[in-house]
């Protein structure tokens, strides 16, 4: 079987679990005596907003549990790992439905944003709340008797709060309708990336897998495995987002599957912040006058400055340095795994599998 076939099969198996949890949520909803039209609305909300993405975050929970346990999962273990994965996808859906309203976005995943649909409008705000609440209902139903129950509840709450902090910095730093490059900096970009993306996209899937695999929060004889995991995964998430920013500028629509819009949308991206850090007075004037404008010619002028200041060369140097740094962090984990008081050890392979997926990616 080819790797593409294997990936498709893995996704298909994961998607079947969504059908299970959707029916559980709707059965509970109907059991509360909700009217038929409300149940149909909830079903449409779930189907429209939850399963359509790449599902990388959710599937990473299953992959990480398999690596940590060192064997194929039983049906019950797979179901539990996949439910935690879908809880991340529900969290993602909650963020995206909300984010699209805040940004007045038009499309998401190749279809109109949920709030843009006829009759939805600002009801989407409540729909977003319901997507988030579904996480905690599912965790209670499936994990209430597990010793790590409160750990995963707290982890979701903390990660949600961190992501919302990042969203706030992003919204007040780079509103789409008001360009002020004096608010931009590489340090602010780093904060936005870490809080808005890295915690929930990279640390959350692995930390959930660690809890499910029986790795305790702390041990008297070894380093805290969660602190170690975070020290690797947050820089990994930062690297991923900087790649994303670079590809938005440099990638073709055929390559990345979309037209890059960071420049016209006034995004506080790595590329603009890198250019601002080294731009001459003349180049800075061009950036100030053209960045964030809904104008193809203005966008071309910004791109020309990016080329002049060597953003490509700076990205290539950053990528090599980031890769070496992350490998170095991974190698702080002993070859035979970081021992804990339990039977399961933290393993280098968990982190290498993430790094291998994104190093030198082209889309």
């Amino acid at each position: 079987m080819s790797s593409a076939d294997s990936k498709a099969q893995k996704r298909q198996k994961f998607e079947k679990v969504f059908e299970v949890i959707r029916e559980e949520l709707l059965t509970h909803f109907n059991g509360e005596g909700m009217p038929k039209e409300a149940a149909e609305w909830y079903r449409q909300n779930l189907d429209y907003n939850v399963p359509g993405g790449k599902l990388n975050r959710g599937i990473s929970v299953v992959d990480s549990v398999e690596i940590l346990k060192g064997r194929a999962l039983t049906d019950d273990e797979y179901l539990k790992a996949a439910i935690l994965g879908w809880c991340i996808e529900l969290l993602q859906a909650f963020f995206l439905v909300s984010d699209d309203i805040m940004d007045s976005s038009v499309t998401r995943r190749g279809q109109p944003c949920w709030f843009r649909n006829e009759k939805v409008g600002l009801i989407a705000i409540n729909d977003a709340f319901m997507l988030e609440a579904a996480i905690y209902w599912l965790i209670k139903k499936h994990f209430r008797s597990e010793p790590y129950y409160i750990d995963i509840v707290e982890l979701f709450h903390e990660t949600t709060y961190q992501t919302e902090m990042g969203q706030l910095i992003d919204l007040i730093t780079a509103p789409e309708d008001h360009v002020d490059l004096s608010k931009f900096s590489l340090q602010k970009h780093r904060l936005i990336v870490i809080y808005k993306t890295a915690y929930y996209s990279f640390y959350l899937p692995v930390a959930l897998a660690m809890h499910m695999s029986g790795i305790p929060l702390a041990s008297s004889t070894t380093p805290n495995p969660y602190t170690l995991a975070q020290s690797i995964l947050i820089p990994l998430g930062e690297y991923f987002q900087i790649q994303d920013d670079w590809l938005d500028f440099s990638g073709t629509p055929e390559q990345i599957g979309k037209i890059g819009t960071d420049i016209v949308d006034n995004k506080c991206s790595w590329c603009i912040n890198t250019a601002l850090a080294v731009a001459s007075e003349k180049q800075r004037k061009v950036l100030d006058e053209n960045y964030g404008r809904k104008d193809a010619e203005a966008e071309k002028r910004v791109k020309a400055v990016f080329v002049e200041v060597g953003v490509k060369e700076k990205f290539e140097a950053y990528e090599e340095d980031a890769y070496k740094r992350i490998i170095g962090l991974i190698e702080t984990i002993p070859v035979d795994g970081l021992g804990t008081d339990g039977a399961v050890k933290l393993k280098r392979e968990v982190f290498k599998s993430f790094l291998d997926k994104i190093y030198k990616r082209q889309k």
Side-chain angles (χ1 to χ4, degrees):
M1 184 187 297
S2 72
S3 62
D5 288 342
S6 176
K7 191 174 179 182
Q9 199 174 71
K10 186 183 285 188
R11 182 186 172 103
Q12 193 174 36
K13 184 179 181 182
F14 185 69
E15 286 174 329
K16 283 184 179 175
V17 177
F18 176 72
E19 295 170 17
V20 173
I21 64 169
R22 181 188 58 203
E23 294 316 307
E24 288 180 348
L25 289 165
L26 289 168
T27 298
H28 170 256
F29 189 84
N30 289 322
E32 294 291 309
M34 296 293 106
K36 186 177 177 183
E37 62 267 31
E40 183 53 35
W41 186 286
Y42 189 25
R43 175 186 286 274
Q44 287 175 9
N45 175 18
L46 290 165
D47 283 342
Y48 197 93
N49 294 306
V50 183
K54 295 175 186 172
L55 308 182
N56 290 340
R57 296 170 183 85
I59 292 171
S60 291
V61 179
V62 179
D63 290 346
S64 297
V65 173
E66 283 187 337
I67 292 169
L68 289 169
K69 287 187 176 288
R71 57 171 172 78
L73 303 182
T74 65
D75 289 346
D76 183 61
E77 286 171 337
Y78 180 86
L79 179 64
K80 275 187 156 56
I83 288 169
L84 288 177
W86 279 110
C87 284
I88 300 181
E89 296 298 331
L90 280 160
L91 185 67
Q92 163 86 333
F94 159 58
F95 290 148
L96 297 184
V97 171
S98 308
D99 192 55
D100 287 342
I101 298 169
M102 289 179 239
D103 290 347
S104 299
S105 298
V106 177
T107 60
R108 168 72 67 182
R109 295 171 176 170
Q111 58 186 0
C113 297
W114 176 241
F115 83 98
R116 295 278 183 188
N117 283 280
E118 190 182 356
K119 297 182 182 176
V120 177
L122 294 184
I123 296 173
I125 296 171
N126 191 65
D127 291 335
F129 294 161
M130 290 187 69
L131 293 170
E132 183 193 25
I135 296 165
Y136 299 100
W137 186 85
L138 287 166
I139 291 174
K140 185 176 180 181
K141 175 177 169 59
H142 292 278
F143 298 91
R144 184 67 183 80
S145 62
E146 299 291 346
Y148 53 86
Y149 170 66
I150 195 62
D151 293 325
I152 59 176
V153 169
E154 288 184 347
L155 180 61
F156 267 102
H157 280 309
E158 287 165 9
T159 307
T160 302
Y161 195 18
Q162 287 162 328
T163 308
E164 289 160 352
M165 289 180 200
Q167 173 75 338
L168 174 62
I169 307 169
D170 195 15
L171 289 169
I172 63 177
T173 300
E176 194 171 337
D177 58 350
H178 180 70
V179 182
D180 182 359
L181 297 186
S182 68
K183 289 185 174 181
F184 286 21
S185 69
L186 282 166
Q187 173 57 18
K188 202 166 278 185
H189 174 265
R190 184 170 184 269
L191 268 177
I192 293 168
V193 167
I194 288 172
Y195 280 84
K196 188 177 174 179
T197 302
Y199 278 113
Y200 94 93
S201 298
F202 287 82
Y203 178 63
L204 179 60
V206 174
L208 287 171
M210 290 167 66
H211 283 302
M212 189 182 149
S213 301
I215 295 179
L217 276 169
S219 164
S220 58
T221 57
T222 61
N224 186 322
Y226 291 85
T227 303
L228 179 55
Q230 190 169 299
S231 75
I232 299 168
L233 292 161
I234 297 306
L236 194 57
E238 190 181 359
Y239 166 41
F240 174 84
Q241 186 58 52
I242 287 173
Q243 272 185 322
D244 231 39
D245 292 355
W246 163 248
L247 289 169
D248 184 275
F249 161 59
S250 66
T252 62
E254 295 75 22
Q255 177 190 342
I256 63 175
K258 63 179 180 178
I259 297 169
T261 60
D262 283 358
I263 293 172
V264 297
D265 289 345
N266 189 37
K267 293 294 184 185
C268 183
S269 87
W270 181 85
C271 296
I272 182 64
N273 283 293
T274 297
L276 288 170
V278 297
S280 66
E281 196 174 320
K282 183 181 174 185
Q283 290 166 332
R284 174 62 187 251
K285 190 170 186 291
V286 173
L287 295 175
D288 281 327
E289 291 174 354
N290 293 278
Y291 198 77
R293 310 282 185 251
K294 307 293 185 189
D295 174 353
E297 290 306 310
E299 183 184 22
K300 281 181 189 174
R301 288 191 280 273
V302 171
K303 287 187 171 184
V305 173
F306 285 1
V307 172
E308 286 169 22
V309 301
V311 169
K312 178 177 186 286
E313 292 75 16
K314 290 183 187 332
F315 172 74
E316 288 169 352
Y318 165 80
E319 182 165 50
E320 288 312 305
D321 179 65
Y323 182 79
K324 286 174 188 169
R325 257 187 315 118
I326 293 163
I327 285 289
L329 289 165
I330 292 170
E331 287 176 352
T332 64
I333 301 171
V335 176
D336 59 348
L338 177 66
T340 69
D341 292 337
V344 179
K345 294 180 177 183
L346 189 60
K347 298 175 182 175
R348 291 181 178 186
E349 289 80 2
V350 171
F351 308 97
K352 282 186 173 171
S353 70
F354 270 88
L355 185 56
D356 289 345
K357 285 173 191 170
I358 65 174
Y359 180 55
K360 298 272 190 187
R361 70 189 174 98
Q362 296 297 310
K363 61 180 180 178

